[in-house]
Amino acid sequence: MTKRSDTLTKLLGTSVLSGCLAAGAAVAETQLNVAMKSQPPTLDLHVTSTNTVRNVGAHINEGLFTFDADFAPQPMLAESVETSDDGLTYTIAIRQGVPFHNGDELAASDVVASLDRWMARSSFGRTLARYVETLDASDDHTVVLTLNQPASFVVTALTTWRAGPFIYPEEVIEAAGEERITDPIGTGPFRFVEWNEGQDIVLERFDDYAALDTPASGYAGKREALVDTLRFVFVPELSVRRIGVESGDFHVALDIDPDSYDQYQDNPEVVSFLGAPRMTTFIPNKAEGIMADVGLRRAVQAAVCVEDILPVYGGDAFWRVDPSMTWKETAWWSDAGAELYNVCDTEKAQSLAAEAGYDGAPIRLAVSSDDESKFSVAQILEQQLRGAGFNVTLEVRDAAAHEATLDSKDGWDFAISEHTYRTHPILHSHLQATWTGWWESEERDRLVGEFLTASAEDAARIWDEIHALYYQDVVVIKIGDYFEHHIAADEVQGYANMPEPFFWNVSLAD
Amino acid sequence: MWAFIVRRLGGMLVTMFIISTLVFIITNVVPGSPAALILGEDRTPDQVAALNRELGLDRSVPVRYVQWLGDLLTGNFGTSYYNDNSVASVIAGRLEPTLILTVTAAILAVAIGIPLGIVAAVYQGTRLDYAAMVVALIGAALPNFWLGLLLILLFALYWSVFPAAGYVSVFDAPADSWRYLVLPAITLGASHAGVIARMARANLLEVMSADYLRTARSKGVRERQVILGHALRNSMIPTFGVVGVALALMIGGSIVTEAVFAIPGVGRLLIESVLRRDFPMIQGVILLIALLVALVNLAVDIVYAILDPRIRYE
């Protein structure tokens, strides 16, 4: 017995030693391991608004503009932009001497090819496309965009991250054709190395990266790869992502439960970050079924008490009561129509329901079982609304079935939705009549038309009007804002904690 | 024997056809939209329609079935909806971790279970027997999921002996890969080790009361020789059947272990594909698992015949 355990000790000792030797030999190599919940469907940044795609892809590809720490657009691959006096022509100078990962230099033709594809494939690209007359390269490093009517949001649209206008080489765009891009080549500080299906995606420092010399701010300014390898590991199990950071297997873990926040406040080895604010809403089906009646929607709106719901997102630090459809962190925050937010008045709800002729017919509340917080929100809402006399029944499906239900007009009356961070009102899918819930409104069309072409001063006022209309028409019933939670080991330095996590300018302390 | 093997292979083909049809029907009847999940929350109806066209989901289910079956006969398993890779290549990449994990777990289960069972049987009724059976019962009763997390907590976080999660291929870094394998193999193997131990004990006890062993003892054969030379081989035949079943169960049942330890195997691929409604991938993985289970069963039958000269397949 003693002999056997000796052997085991030797075996363990040898391997630990050889592990150390291997690490010692590669002392210059630094690798940052980021654990994320699931693998992205693609690295084609144009076609999907799924956040896992940006988490990885935004290190590889860059856009013409990006947001600084105050969410103001700043040039990235663009050198400068000039607008003609009539507001119809945008002349964008492209930076010179910027290499792609394949060695080719970024040229205006790459920008035109990328923007053309983006305007055809991305939902926000298509919003911009409606205003675009022509898009051409006037020389190797200049792109000219002409509009069919003045629009105030061109640069904002070109700054989008979600399914945003990231720049790929022209031949990559051509090779993809109608399909998704499979050759992730960009100008970013990291270049793609390999994707081990189901396991990880490995990026490495791009040595020829052409960095800006302006100071880093938000996503803008100087970007620098401070680790040799950046590895995104797919770890579906939440507790394993957490333990992995505590044990040193991972440096960063994204999407951690808020309940662990307090625990990490006392742990010097793990740093807790409140990530992007998100918004929970309760969406009525305005096209078909019982909720197509705006009177009944207003009755439900009056019954909702958000303070009883939001604690499902964790402690006080993780949520806030806020009426705005655009976030407090941006210049677009609005409280127009807020008197209809968080009314929490059962009697008023009952009298509005009686006025609308509600007879106790069943109201179907659709929710996805994959997301614990959404499911908890739905359960509390069900109780609140039942308490106010609404005959609500929960319909629980897995994410794929739930999303398919939301795409059909006759399968649901209410749904719980969680929206990611938007920096500008035009990025809100709510504004589109085709988006789930189907908000058809001539008033909205008129106001949005004015908004998109208005001067900056007028735009804020018009946005307030649209915002009030949201509440009047009960497009969605806002519950509140909540925050994502990420953790990092204490050796991770320089993490900027912007709404979209990124790892350039991030280093590992010795 | 050869006729038997050929007949069994023929039967397997029929089974595979029935399974493929059932799997196709079930995956295509369950509600869910792969396009909605791929496009994300800001999707518009025309984007969904365009992607459905690209994926071939605008065609009717019977048309898709005929197309899929035709492709299958030419060895083409289709293309993943989710990431445009061929189903065969994705599964091939994911097979190695699952096979290595299940085989390691099976070896572990046998290496722990059979000695434990023998010790318990030989010392029947003593404290050693009870202790062995309590250990076996604990192994069999612990949920995979919980055991996995417990092991990670102890061995990765508190004692830092093994990594918490992940997978390193034995072909890439042989010296490193086993460290990633220990905890998941114990997690997956523990319950089967428990079952095998109990089976080994019961079967050995049954054989030990047989007449020919009494004869052997009365001839003066030493007890050690009686057990190892005469009893064990005969008692191993039914136990071996349990090992075969365990291996088949582990191939299908590695889903939880792979998810806990972030191992990129076919079990995790299956659950991910179901959640994403990646129909071609679901169909491919289930066909593969069915095939592996059928092959393991065939192998068990053949090994039976080798172990026990009384078993002959005509």
Side-chain angles (χ1 to χ4, degrees), chain A residues 321-392:
Chain A
V321 175
D322 187 84
S324 180
M325 299 292 166
T326 34
W327 278 267
K328 254 186 173 152
E329 285 76 6
T330 69
W332 294 102
W333 184 84
S334 172
D335 61 355
E339 62 280 4
L340 296 174
Y341 173 66
N342 193 20
V343 175
C344 195
D345 184 340
T346 307
E347 280 173 26
K348 188 176 175 197
Q350 282 166 342
S351 81
L352 285 171
E355 262 174 54
Y358 179 62
D359 58 0
I363 298 173
R364 296 162 297 173
L365 169 53
V367 64
S368 150
S369 58
D370 294 32
D371 202 318
E372 208 182 312
S373 58
K374 274 192 219 175
F375 185 63
S376 308
V377 168
Q379 283 179 311
I380 298 172
L381 259 173
E382 183 195 18
Q383 292 310 314
Q384 280 185 3
L385 296 181
R386 283 189 164 269
F390 297 99
N391 181 14
V392 174

Side-chain angles (χ1 to χ4, degrees), chain A residues 430-451:
Chain A
H430 299 154
L431 284 177
Q432 297 172 4
T434 53
W435 192 68
T436 196
W438 306 282
W439 182 30
E440 298 282 357
S441 161
E442 286 177 11
E443 180 70 357
R444 185 270 324 268
D445 291 344
R446 185 182 65 75
L447 286 170
V448 169
E450 281 181 24
F451 175 73

Side-chain angles (χ1 to χ4, degrees), chain A residues 59-64 75-80 93-111 140-141 167-171 185-190 206-213 221 223:
Chain A
H59 296 85
I60 304 169
N61 294 91
E62 300 177 314
L64 292 176
M76 188 75 225
L77 293 177
E79 180 88 54
S80 61
I94 311 295
R95 281 166 58 206
Q96 306 208 2
V98 175
F100 278 111
H101 302 149
N102 62 5
D104 295 348
E105 194 191 323
L106 169 72
S109 57
D110 302 310
V111 174
D140 266 4
H141 288 93
I167 306 300
Y168 292 85
E170 189 180 5
E171 60 266 28
I185 291 176
T187 56
F190 288 93
F206 177 43
D207 289 327
D208 298 328
Y209 177 67
L212 289 165
D213 48 16
R223 293 180 177 184

Side-chain angles (χ1 to χ4, degrees), chain A residues 11-12 15 18 37-42 47-50 52 121-124 126 162 178-180 182 195 197-199 231 233-237 239-240 243-244 246-247 249-250 278 370 398-401 403-404 406-407 417-420 422 427 429 432 434-435 438, chain B residues 31-34 36-48 51 54-55 80-85 90 94 145 149 152-153 156-157 160-169 175-176 178-180 258-264 268-269 272 274-277 281:
Chain A
L11 206 66
L12 278 169
S15 103
S18 67
K37 189 174 170 183
S38 56
Q39 75 173 348
T42 168
V47 298
T48 167
S49 51
T50 305
T52 49
R121 298 290 298 253
S122 148
S123 33
F124 302 125
R126 284 189 289 186
R162 308 171 49 75
E178 292 299 301
E179 311 268 300
R180 279 171 267 173
T182 51
W195 182 336
E197 230 302 305
Q199 188 172 2
R231 179 166 166 259
V233 198
F234 317 131
V235 185
E237 195 37 54
S239 42
V240 178
I243 294 174
E246 295 169 32
S247 69
D249 290 276
F250 311 131
R278 294 170 67 107
D370 294 32
D398 80 338
E403 297 298 327
L406 291 194
D407 283 349
S417 183
E418 292 176 345
H419 307 270
T420 41
R422 308 296 156 94
L427 303 179
S429 27
Q432 297 172 4
T434 53
W435 192 68
W438 306 282
Chain B
S33 164
L37 287 183
I38 293 169
L39 292 168
E41 65 181 288
D42 297 322
R43 64 186 178 276
T44 57
D46 52 331
Q47 278 179 311
V48 173
L51 187 54
E54 188 186 317
L55 300 176
S80 162
Y81 290 166
Y82 197 60
N83 56 19
D84 280 345
N85 293 331
V90 172
R94 295 272 197 126
F145 180 78
L149 290 179
I152 292 176
L153 210 58
L157 186 59
S160 303
V161 185
F162 296 114
Y167 178 76
V168 171
S169 169
D176 222 18
W178 71 272
R179 300 184 57 238
Y180 286 84
E258 288 178 7
V260 169
F261 289 95
I263 294 171
R268 208 176 119 201
L269 178 64
E272 287 167 359
V274 169
L275 291 177
R276 293 171 190 151
R277 301 294 192 274
M281 196 63 82

Side-chain angles (χ1 to χ4, degrees), chain B residues 122-143:
Chain B
V122 171
Y123 298 97
Q124 189 196 0
T126 66
R127 283 184 184 177
L128 204 57
D129 179 21
Y130 294 130
M133 283 306 103
V134 165
V135 170
L137 196 66
I138 290 174
L142 285 183

